[in-house]
Amino acid sequence: EEWKDRGAAVSIQRHVDSNGNQTHRIVKKGVQDFNFGRTLGEGSYSTVLAATDRQTLTEYAIKVLDKRHIIKEKKVKYVNIEKNTLNRLGDHPGIVRLYYTFQDERSLYFVLDLATGGELLGFVKKLGSFDEECTRFYGAQILDAIEYMHSKGVIHRDLKPENVLLDEQMHVKITDFGTAKILDLPSQTRTSNTDGKTQLDRQEQDFANNIGIPDHERANSFVGTAEYVSPELLTDKSACKGSDLWAFGCIIFQLLAGRPPFKAANEYQTFQKIVNLEYQFPPGFPKVARDLVERLLVLDPTKRLTIENIKSHPFFEGILWGKQLWKQKAPRLK
Ligand code: ATP
């Protein structure tokens, strides 16, 4: 019952015959429609494989999730969150798109955009850090994608350079929506407070518990790294859109400095640093970028820059926002 597919495996194909008559065909895809290739990576509950649609020869990344493992580890809810958010975010170049979902007896399959460049984190590690031009470009693409997801009522809650993938063109594709929060859209507002925070529901409570209590039994809980967690999640156990902008500030810092701002020997010490706003800029950190980061890494989420403020900050001077940003050639990483 839990796995009931609500039609995401279906796509509509338009066909025009020699007389110019249009017909539409509903296409239901399944495992047999793809050739599976190399393994792109492994998650705690999934394996991601490169695959080609046999008919169209289009390449995808297919995430294969083991049903028994997910049920045993009580992650059904998070798999559903990932699918539902991706379905809601179907139309932005900076977000991994979900094309089809289907299943067989053993596994669930998510057919996704293939991000051939891999994780942004890989490039940061390889290069040590990014220069201002590259940070500006990747920062702008990440921010544009955040703006879109927030406009669709989605808070990501786990933004970090591992979850920023790169496509063939070396453009950003944000992934990993398994811990996202879907807000009620304005027309159906239910539990939103005036300050934009959402009430703790069960899902959010579990999330806070999982990261708030360092528990070695749960070493493999779904929040992999503590470094990007916002202070409000640690103190009030609540996340808001501003929590993603905190993580965005951490990412900008990391691209330029080569390390995240809050990093310690263990999760507990990292959390201490976060709630005490204890971080330092390395020597030579660009001044305009420092100003931006200082206005994002603010403990009170209501006092952080808004997305509009960030877009007009001097650090992003010269960036063409919106569609233009995605037509631009990525600067060579150096
Ligand atoms: P965990 O579930 O443990 O948090 P994860 O979120 O990284 O891990 P997956 O989403 O299954 O797990 O991804 C596993 C690996 O596959 C990652 O290293 C990621 O880089 C790679 N990967 C995921 N999606 C894609 C994609 N669309 N294109 C290319 N590689 C991908």
Side-chain angles (χ1 to χ4, degrees):
E1 190 52 32
E2 235 128 28
W3 307 116
K4 208 150 98 190
D5 217 342
R6 295 215 308 268
V10 165
S11 82
I12 296 170
Q13 234 174 38
R14 197 170 63 108
H15 180 74
V16 185
D17 69 16
S18 50
N19 299 322
N21 297 318
Q22 270 193 34
T23 50
H24 292 90
R25 239 184 346 172
I26 292 174
V27 187
K28 175 127 179 95
K29 298 273 184 189
V31 182
Q32 68 290 343
D33 292 302
F34 297 88
N35 286 326
F36 287 81
R38 68 186 189 284
T39 301
L40 297 165
E42 309 245 5
S44 321
Y45 310 96
S46 50
T47 301
V48 180
L49 302 161
T52 310
D53 182 322
R54 289 173 192 260
Q55 232 174 11
T56 63
L57 302 182
T58 308
E59 286 195 285
Y60 296 98
I62 301 189
K63 182 161 170 164
V64 185
L65 300 115
D66 183 63
K67 289 187 199 176
R68 271 179 49 198
H69 186 48
I70 288 165
I71 293 168
K72 206 172 88 214
E73 300 290 321
K74 300 194 165 55
K75 300 295 174 189
V76 172
K77 192 162 57 182
Y78 304 110
V79 173
N80 284 324
I81 291 171
E82 182 165 20
K83 178 172 153 181
N84 294 336
T85 21
L86 285 172
N87 277 332
R88 195 188 265 219
L89 301 176
D91 194 27
H92 191 277
I95 294 171
V96 164
R97 185 161 159 192
L98 177 63
Y99 293 88
Y100 312 101
T101 59
F102 43 83
Q103 57 182 309
D104 57 24
E105 208 167 28
R106 232 180 105 176
S107 309
L108 300 174
Y109 299 83
F110 287 11
V111 182
L112 303 159
D113 273 322
L114 173 64
T116 49
E119 298 172 3
L120 185 64
L121 182 68
F123 290 90
V124 184
K125 284 189 169 165
K126 204 165 75 186
L127 296 166
S129 62
F130 286 8
D131 64 11
E132 272 188 81
E133 186 199 6
C134 292
T135 304
R136 184 170 9 263
F137 178 78
Y138 285 104
Q141 288 208 332
I142 294 166
L143 188 71
D144 197 68
I146 297 174
E147 183 177 34
Y148 171 79
M149 65 177 98
H150 286 185
S151 77
K152 296 286 174 188
V154 172
I155 308 174
H156 188 290
R157 299 201 298 191
D158 195 19
L159 288 169
K160 54 185 175 183
E162 271 171 275
N163 289 337
V164 177
L165 302 180
L166 299 169
D167 65 13
E168 199 93 83
Q169 296 180 75
M170 289 295 282
H171 282 186
V172 160
K173 294 264 183 218
I174 292 181
T175 187
D176 207 353
F177 286 86
T179 49
K181 168 81 188 162
I182 304 187
L183 301 172
D184 293 327
L185 287 172
S187 58
Q188 34 187 161
T189 301
R190 203 166 27 103
T191 53
S192 297
N193 291 336
T194 44
D195 64 358
K197 284 185 187 170
T198 54
Q199 298 286 343
L200 266 188
D201 59 13
R202 273 268 312 283
Q203 170 204 332
E204 212 156 25
Q205 184 74 61
D206 290 350
F207 183 73
N209 286 346
N210 264 347
I211 60 155
I213 305 164
D215 179 351
H216 298 292
E217 308 275 313
R218 277 200 219 144
N220 269 333
S221 73
F222 60 87
V223 176
T225 43
E227 281 94 6
Y228 309 85
V229 167
S230 61
E232 60 273 19
L233 208 84
L234 298 172
T235 54
D236 317 343
K237 298 192 167 139
S238 76
C240 55
K241 288 176 177 174
S243 312
D244 283 345
L245 299 178
W246 171 277
F248 178 71
C250 293
I251 294 170
I252 296 292
F253 180 104
Q254 182 172 3
L255 296 183
L256 289 164
R259 60 168 172 88
F262 307 99
K263 199 170 167 58
N266 58 48
E267 285 194 348
Y268 177 75
Q269 288 173 13
T270 302
F271 297 153
Q272 287 300 306
K273 287 192 168 183
I274 292 169
V275 298
N276 294 316
L277 200 64
E278 202 183 307
Y279 74 103
Q280 266 138 25
F281 292 97
F285 195 94
K287 244 179 108 196
V288 260
R290 179 181 173 130
D291 184 83
L292 174 65
V293 170
E294 282 174 345
R295 292 171 196 268
L296 287 168
L297 301 185
V298 172
L299 292 177
D300 180 349
T302 63
K303 303 228 159 73
R304 281 172 214 149
L305 293 184
T306 63
I307 291 179
E308 276 313 310
N309 299 153
I310 302 169
K311 285 163 78 176
S312 55
H313 189 278
F315 180 72
F316 286 113
E317 202 180 294
I319 289 287
L320 302 165
W321 297 96
K323 280 205 170 71
Q324 286 302 316
L325 182 58
W326 301 91
K327 287 184 184 147
Q328 229 170 298
K329 195 168 177 294
R332 201 169 60 84
L333 283 172
K334 52 194 172 298

